[in-house]
Amino acid sequence: MAPIIINGHKFDPLTTPELKTDSEPTTPHVLVQQIGPFLIVFAYLPTFKIQPELMKDGPAAGASFVAISLHKDVTKNDLKDVVKVFRDELNINRIESAFDGLIEVYVDGVEQLKAISEMESVQTIEQVTDVDINVDRATNIVRVSDIRLDRELLGLSELDGSGQFITVTDTGIDLNHPALKMAMDSDYARRHPVDDSEGHGSHVAGIIACSLQDAGEQAPSCAKGIAPGAKLIAKAAFAESNDQGIVRKILNGGVTRLLTSQYDSGKVQSRPRINNNSWGGKARSSNDSSPQPAYSAVREEQVDKALYKRSDLLVVFAAGNDGEAEVKGVRKNQIGSYAAAKNVLTVGASMTDRPLSFLEGEGDIYDVNGLPGNPDSVASFSSRGPTSAGRRKPDVVAPGVQILSTWSTSKQAHTETEVKLNPKHNPWVLASGTSMAAAVVSGCAALLREALLLDGRFFKQDKEITSALLRALLVNGARDISRGKRGPNNEQGHGLIDMVASLRHLQLDTGEDAHFGIGVLSETPSRDSTGERHSKLNITLCYIDQEGPQVQNRLSVIVFAHHPTGGSTKFDTKSKPLNNTQRITIKNVDSYDRINLVLNPELIIAPIHWALAWDFY
């Protein structure tokens, strides 16, 4: 019988005494294991709940900060009762937050930890780890006169993101930077002033929406943001920065509140429907069997659950900067926690054509006398997939090497080294990282949302545009830049973002029917679409799935390419394990007489929002 893996524990059901019982389970929570055609039911024991690493590195060595997820049947009133038990019976006094089925506390020893695991309402106990703001290779250069932002790589149109609101979950945004004042949502900034003493958040914000209108004559014209007409909402989410650049998330309710508080509290007309996250969990050391942490009930599951409930909220995550971490000589399984969630758009970094030189300890830095970089290549530091659950990540890549953008004007944001390089605290710097790439994609998503709302042709209200549709349009338009092994793959995902190709799905210049479709699927119908003849056809299906390590709803697309002489060739997006972002590329499509796209719902257990995008090349 195959071993059972639960929360990092591995058990053989035939040899593990705890699993053998002739009596009825004493807990209403059970573990179901499929063995061939049979379903075997075991009691969900306290042993299963505690993360193995926690016992190895946590309370046994002293106080430890842990996240406790509760079972799904636990109500808000039950949550209050659990917190009361923690305080009154277990003497746990440092309770940092309790929100949406997640409690974060400090425990003082193994006995306290075991007592928590004995509580019926507890599902898992995991150690809270530090997160990284994904700019560990950032380099600040004062020579900015002959550099340019790589907008040409994206083929941007005159769209500027007007009417779109974007949350930047980061270190804050410099409210005094002249190029960021126009980008800030003034109403929100007045009620929730958030400055940036680090600089990272301001750099990310500038890539998304830097406006040069009031930036002054010294502002580099090439640093204009991707969507300068969009409005930004700053969510300062980090504190306790250390000398390795690692920061700890300000908890205040866990990742659910962190990602959704602005969305939930915003007015309908100004609700931020894009949330940029240029941060994530660090990959573990190369000594581990895999640097990719397992899908977690306190991280990825919380993200997927929140986004399933908010179908029009697109969350963009940086893939991470651990691309050079190896396991047995192989670079894989490096995607940061949170970025491994199913319902987020995960972004890796590609190179730019800016002249570069390699500096030991700094990586590729701008050098006017250096060799041009290759924009059709993935940056060496960009984290590779797959996830621990086997899903392909990242989803796409975007330019993330030596990107020029705004920096905080705060003196606190400048180290001694930076002051030597730039004694006037130049508020424009170059930085590299998947942080920068994620910001590029968030700006592109704002342009797509704006285009989808033009003249009410496609949608009349913001809430009608789902994250599944934005993901499908961006993924289907992405350009393969893989060398050797053809994409999609775990280095580039589905390829380099190409806004010309993504916007072409809307057929804005032709007035013809758009090349996308959306819907909510709660049963098992089929949907057919017939396409014109052309040389190559890309088809992408995205849907918003419920939380869980594997896909909970199984939906794929089948393509029947009909031959002029009769018969057809079948293509499909089935994969193991199935992804909720899937793409097919069919070459020589002009040799077929007719193309039919059919949605194939293998298993639908709850309503899901889906989107299908297709285009000819």
Side-chain angles (χ1 to χ4, degrees), residues 143 146 353-358 365-373:
R143 299 170 293 176
D146 56 352
D353 59 358
R354 191 164 280 132
L356 303 168
S357 291
F358 183 81
I365 64 169
Y366 171 72
D367 181 357
V368 68
N369 297 313
L371 297 175

Side-chain angles (χ1 to χ4, degrees), residues 137 283-284 286 288-292 320-335 349 351 358 364 377-387 393-394 434 483 485 489-492:
R137 289 178 176 270
R284 298 184 294 208
S286 58
D288 292 310
S289 58
S290 170
Q292 166 67 52
N321 296 337
D322 294 304
E324 294 176 358
E326 296 184 354
V327 175
K328 297 180 180 179
V330 179
R331 296 163 66 183
K332 66 176 185 177
N333 298 116
Q334 304 157 332
I335 302 297
M351 296 289 288
F358 183 81
D364 290 314
S377 61
V378 177
S380 62
F381 59 77
S382 184
S383 290
R384 272 68 170 167
T387 70
K393 288 282 184 175
T434 55
R483 286 185 264 176
K485 184 180 179 182
N489 55 48
N490 289 305
E491 289 191 2
Q492 63 151 7

Side-chain angles (χ1 to χ4, degrees), residues 145-382:
S145 59
D146 56 352
I147 59 179
R148 60 184 178 82
L149 185 66
D150 303 277
R151 291 171 60 83
E152 295 173 9
L153 287 176
L154 302 168
L156 298 184
S157 69
E158 294 304 312
L159 296 168
D160 67 356
S162 292
Q164 302 307 307
F165 292 81
I166 304 171
T167 300
V168 178
T169 305
D170 215 287
T171 61
I173 297 177
D174 181 6
L175 302 177
N176 297 314
H177 198 295
L180 293 177
K181 289 181 179 179
M182 291 288 292
M184 293 297 295
D185 177 41
S186 57
D187 180 55
Y188 187 89
R190 184 175 61 256
R191 291 181 288 114
H192 307 277
V194 179
D195 209 343
D196 180 15
S197 63
E198 296 285 338
H200 182 270
S202 297
H203 197 277
V204 166
I207 293 172
I208 297 172
C210 168
S211 171
L212 302 179
Q213 184 172 330
D214 297 322
E217 295 181 359
Q218 294 184 346
S221 60
C222 54
K224 187 176 181 180
I226 300 294
K231 293 299 180 184
L232 302 181
I233 293 174
K235 176 69 174 179
F238 304 104
E240 303 178 25
S241 178
N242 64 26
D243 57 1
Q244 278 80 45
I246 296 176
V247 295
R248 183 180 293 285
K249 175 167 60 72
I250 294 177
L251 300 162
N252 191 28
V255 69
T256 298
R257 182 174 290 179
L258 184 67
L259 297 180
T260 63
S261 57
Q262 275 69 35
Y263 173 93
D264 291 343
S265 62
K267 299 176 182 177
V268 174
Q269 64 272 23
S270 60
R271 178 172 289 167
R273 289 181 166 85
I274 300 171
N275 190 311
N276 185 84
N277 297 270
S278 292
W279 58 275
K282 291 282 291 180
R284 298 184 294 208
S285 73
S286 58
N287 294 326
D288 292 310
S289 58
S290 170
Q292 166 67 52
Y295 186 97
S296 165
V298 303
R299 295 189 302 268
E300 293 83 1
E301 184 171 306
Q302 297 293 317
V303 175
D304 284 333
K305 178 180 177 182
L307 298 185
Y308 178 78
K309 294 178 180 178
R310 299 164 178 84
S311 61
D312 59 338
L313 174 60
L314 175 70
V315 169
V316 178
F317 259 99
N321 296 337
D322 294 304
E324 294 176 358
E326 296 184 354
V327 175
K328 297 180 180 179
V330 179
R331 296 163 66 183
K332 66 176 185 177
N333 298 116
Q334 304 157 332
I335 302 297
S337 54
Y338 305 102
K342 291 179 289 187
N343 293 330
V344 307
L345 184 62
T346 306
V347 183
S350 60
M351 296 289 288
T352 68
D353 59 358
R354 191 164 280 132
L356 303 168
S357 291
F358 183 81
L359 182 64
E360 190 68 35
E362 296 288 340
D364 290 314
I365 64 169
Y366 171 72
D367 181 357
V368 68
N369 297 313
L371 297 175
N374 179 9
D376 284 353
S377 61
V378 177
S380 62
F381 59 77
S382 184

